[in-house]
């Protein structure tokens, strides 16, 4: 039941964010801003607070990381509004007013405040719009973030807790399912960094997500190389950040995502085997996923997990691309035979 509950709630969250990204006005751009906010806050926190600070003992960088991590809400409000095209002054006004709130509350405030700001700019004279906009948007952002924050945070905490409980109850099954799903999301326009930050994943589930993104990078490299979807520069680019090759992924969605699922799934199982803990939410991406686990685990365990995930990612990529190449060959032969038959 814990496994069923965790998987069901995870899929419900994925569906909700996918629908928002696809159908909400400027939803895709807003989700891009949310992903950038996760980088600006949680990635900086993970690297500087836990690696540079706790691991290397640099107190200044630890404080820097903790400060960045506490500003997820303002970062989301500002970067979402800017991603949608808001005046930078309005974006910062909204961000300042959301201080102390979570990343999803800041996201809601930044998204709605953009449309309010757009109305203000269209109906007020230049100069007056800045003053009026600042005075109007600040309380709007404050009310939106502080009203929605507790509600959405509770819902996301319930989903995050369910995923954690399911992972504790059936670690290898959840390692397989969660790793596969997170890697698919990592390669899709819906950011895995944003999703894991919103859900507040920590511990083993976040470790699974991080290692899955690392292992799945090698799957992506194999896909690009063996299916000849791009040159060596594109191979490196998709391994470091899949969204840089979004056009190629979109044109070859089934091939990429099917291979990605198994690359991430097998890597997730590896993360469970080595019990990789990651208490830095929002670090589900190739580079953050590579670095963050070192802050919470023995370096030797992380290195073995990364090597194991890389091997799994390569194997999944090789087998997956071999199947797709075989299917493509059969289709080509069938098409050639059909053309050869006289009318």
């Amino acid at each position: 039941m814990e496994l069923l509950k965790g998987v069901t709630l995870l899929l419900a969250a994925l569906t909700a964010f996918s629908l928002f990204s696809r159908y909400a006005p400027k939803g895709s751009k807003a989700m891009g801003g949310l992903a950038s906010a996760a980088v600006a806050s949680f990635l900086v926190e993970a690297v500087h607070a836990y690696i540079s600070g706790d691991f290397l003992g640099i107190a200044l960088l630890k404080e820097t990381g903790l400060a960045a991590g506490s500003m997820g809400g303002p970062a989301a409000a500002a970067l979402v509004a800017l991603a949608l095209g808001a005046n930078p002054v309005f974006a910062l006004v909204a961000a300042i007013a959301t201080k102390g709130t979570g990343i999803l509350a800041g996201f809601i405030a930044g998204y709605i405040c953009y449309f309010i700001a757009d109305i203000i700019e269209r109906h007020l004279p230049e100069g007056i719009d800045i003053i009026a906009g600042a005075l109007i948007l600040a309380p709007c952002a404050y009310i939106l973030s502080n009203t929605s924050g507790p509600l959405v945070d509770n819902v996301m905490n319930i989903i995050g807790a369910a995923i954690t409980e399911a992972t504790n109850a059936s670690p290898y099954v959840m390692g397989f399912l969660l790793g596969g799903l997170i890697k698919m999301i990592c390669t899709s326009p819906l950011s895995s960094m944003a999703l894991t930050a919103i859900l507040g994943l920590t511990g083993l589930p976040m470790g699974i997500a991080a290692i899955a993104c690392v292992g799945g990078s090698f799957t992506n490299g194999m896909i690009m190389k063996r299916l000849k979807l791009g040159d060596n520069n594109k191979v490196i680019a998709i391994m470091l950040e899949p969204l840089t090759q979004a056009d190629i992924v979109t044109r070859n969605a089934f091939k990429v995502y099917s291979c990605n699922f198994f690359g991430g799934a097998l890597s997730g199982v590896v993360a469970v085997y080595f019990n990789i803990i990651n208490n830095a939410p929002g670090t589900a991406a190739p580079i953050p996923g590579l670095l963050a686990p070192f802050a919470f685990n023995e370096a030797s365990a992380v290195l073995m997990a990364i090597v194991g995930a890389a091997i799994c990612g390569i194997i999944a990529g090789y087998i997956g691309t071999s199947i797709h190449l075989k299917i493509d060959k059969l289709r080509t032969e069938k098409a050639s035979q059909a053309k050869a038959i006289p009318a």
Side-chain angles (χ1 to χ4, degrees), residues 11-312:
L11 292 175
L14 292 179
T15 301
F17 289 114
S18 295
L19 291 174
F20 176 88
S21 179
R22 186 174 181 85
Y23 295 110
K26 298 193 175 185
S28 181
K29 289 184 178 181
M31 292 304 295
L34 182 60
S36 298
V39 173
S41 55
F42 296 123
L43 174 59
V44 175
E45 180 186 31
V47 174
H48 283 320
Y50 305 121
I51 297 177
S52 303
D54 292 340
F55 188 67
L56 299 179
I58 305 175
L60 174 64
L61 292 181
K62 179 177 176 63
E63 293 300 321
T64 301
L66 292 175
S70 69
M71 296 295 285
L79 290 171
V80 168
L82 289 172
L84 299 181
N87 185 306
V89 174
F90 292 156
L92 266 294
V93 167
I96 291 169
T98 62
K99 180 183 178 182
T101 61
I103 190 169
L104 189 52
F107 168 79
I108 293 171
Y111 182 73
I112 296 176
C113 282
Y114 161 74
F115 294 101
I116 298 173
D118 184 56
I119 294 172
I120 292 171
E121 286 190 302
R122 283 191 285 110
H123 290 87
L124 292 179
E126 186 177 352
I128 296 176
D129 61 343
I130 295 293
I131 298 172
L135 295 176
I136 293 171
L137 288 174
C140 287
Y142 181 86
I143 293 170
L144 286 167
S145 60
N146 284 277
T147 301
S148 65
L151 176 62
V152 296
D153 287 345
N154 285 339
V155 172
M156 292 304 130
N157 287 338
I158 290 171
I159 297 175
I163 294 171
T164 300
E165 291 170 6
T167 304
N168 292 334
S170 305
Y172 284 101
V173 175
M174 279 301 290
F176 186 86
L177 295 175
L178 183 60
L181 289 172
I182 291 295
K183 184 55 199 175
M184 288 176 66
I185 297 165
C186 179
T187 309
S188 75
L190 181 61
S191 169
S192 54
M193 291 187 69
L195 177 68
T196 53
I198 290 170
L199 295 177
L201 291 187
T202 56
L204 182 57
M206 193 63 235
I208 292 169
I211 297 300
C213 288
V214 175
S217 292
F218 291 89
T219 304
N220 279 333
M222 290 293 292
I223 294 169
M224 293 288 285
K225 192 71 175 177
R226 298 201 71 216
L227 299 183
K228 298 179 181 178
L229 301 180
D231 56 23
N232 290 334
N233 291 331
K234 291 185 179 295
V235 172
I236 295 171
I238 199 171
M239 291 181 69
L240 295 177
E241 177 45 68
L243 293 182
T244 61
Q245 307 304 314
D247 56 331
I248 295 176
V249 171
T250 302
R251 291 197 303 268
N252 302 273
F254 177 69
K255 294 177 180 179
V256 174
Y257 292 141
S258 59
C259 295
N260 262 230
F261 177 83
F262 289 101
L266 295 175
S267 299
V269 172
V270 171
V272 173
Y273 180 81
F274 288 102
N275 193 34
I276 300 300
I277 303 301
N278 183 1
N279 290 326
T283 52
I287 296 176
L290 180 70
L291 298 175
F294 283 100
F296 309 101
N297 306 271
E298 292 291 333
S300 58
V302 177
L303 288 173
M304 287 188 288
I306 290 172
V307 171
I311 293 172
C312 288

